[in-house]
Structures are given as C-alpha cells and as structure tokens.
Amino acid sequence: MILARGKNVMTTLQRLQDLLVKRFDLERKDLDPAASLEQLGLDSMGTIDLMFQVEDEFGVTFPRDADALKTVQDVVDCIECLLADATPVDSDRGPVP
C-alpha cells in the first residue's frame, strides 16, 4: 500500500488485482502486470465482463477499441489514462474537486 497523508491508498494495479481475484477467482500470485488476459483464462466474453466490472469499480467508460487490451498492465494503463482524462487539473494546484 502507498501511504498518502496518513491514509492507505491502493494503486490501480492493486485494485484491478483485487477485482480479478474476487470476480474471476484468480490467484493474486498469477496477476503479474505482464500476464496476458488470455493466459489468465479470460476469453473475449470474460474480457468484456472484466471491462464492465472495471467501469463499475473505477467509474470510467472504456472506448470501443478496448479489444487492444491484452495484458493486466494494458488494462491498468487504460484505466489510468481514462481517470486522468476525467479529472480536471489546475496546473498549480493539482486535481480540481
């Protein structure tokens, strides 16, 4: 866990790993960022299900070309990009509430 201002803050990877463990009954030790979704047993329907789960968990909407997501890290990178695009930022003060 990363500590920020006295609070535990989970990384995007950790949150995604938690989701994969709970929803898809996977082992955390298998959820290396380089692991392919296919190797983890997620076929095309499983990947679509994952996208819906991630949208609910992170409050993002995947683009239609999300089929390019092949690895756990691809999903993390996409989530972080979507979150960054959704958060207005003031260059002097950071994210705008």
Side-chain angles (χ1 to χ4, degrees):
M1 299 279 169
I2 298 172
L3 293 178
R5 296 183 188 158
K7 296 182 179 179
N8 286 333
V9 178
M10 295 180 70
T11 67
T12 303
L13 175 60
Q14 290 168 325
R15 286 177 66 189
L16 178 61
Q17 288 171 328
D18 285 350
L19 180 70
L20 288 164
V21 167
K22 290 176 188 171
R23 177 71 176 115
F24 296 93
D25 199 31
L26 296 170
E27 296 289 329
R28 184 172 296 277
K29 66 179 176 57
D30 297 328
L31 300 177
D32 182 86
S36 79
L37 299 178
E38 187 176 333
Q39 287 173 325
L40 295 173
L42 296 174
D43 59 10
S44 59
M45 293 303 291
T47 302
I48 290 169
D49 188 21
L50 173 62
M51 287 184 207
F52 286 128
Q53 298 297 320
V54 167
E55 287 179 343
D56 289 345
E57 172 70 21
F58 290 89
V60 298
T61 302
F62 278 100
R64 292 188 180 263
D65 64 348
D67 59 336
L69 303 175
K70 303 294 183 200
T71 67
V72 171
Q73 188 63 53
D74 290 342
V75 178
V76 169
D77 292 344
C78 186
I79 293 167
E80 290 180 346
C81 182
L82 293 169
L83 289 172
D85 287 347
T87 306
V89 175
D90 179 306
S91 60
D92 295 326
R93 294 181 289 165
V96 177

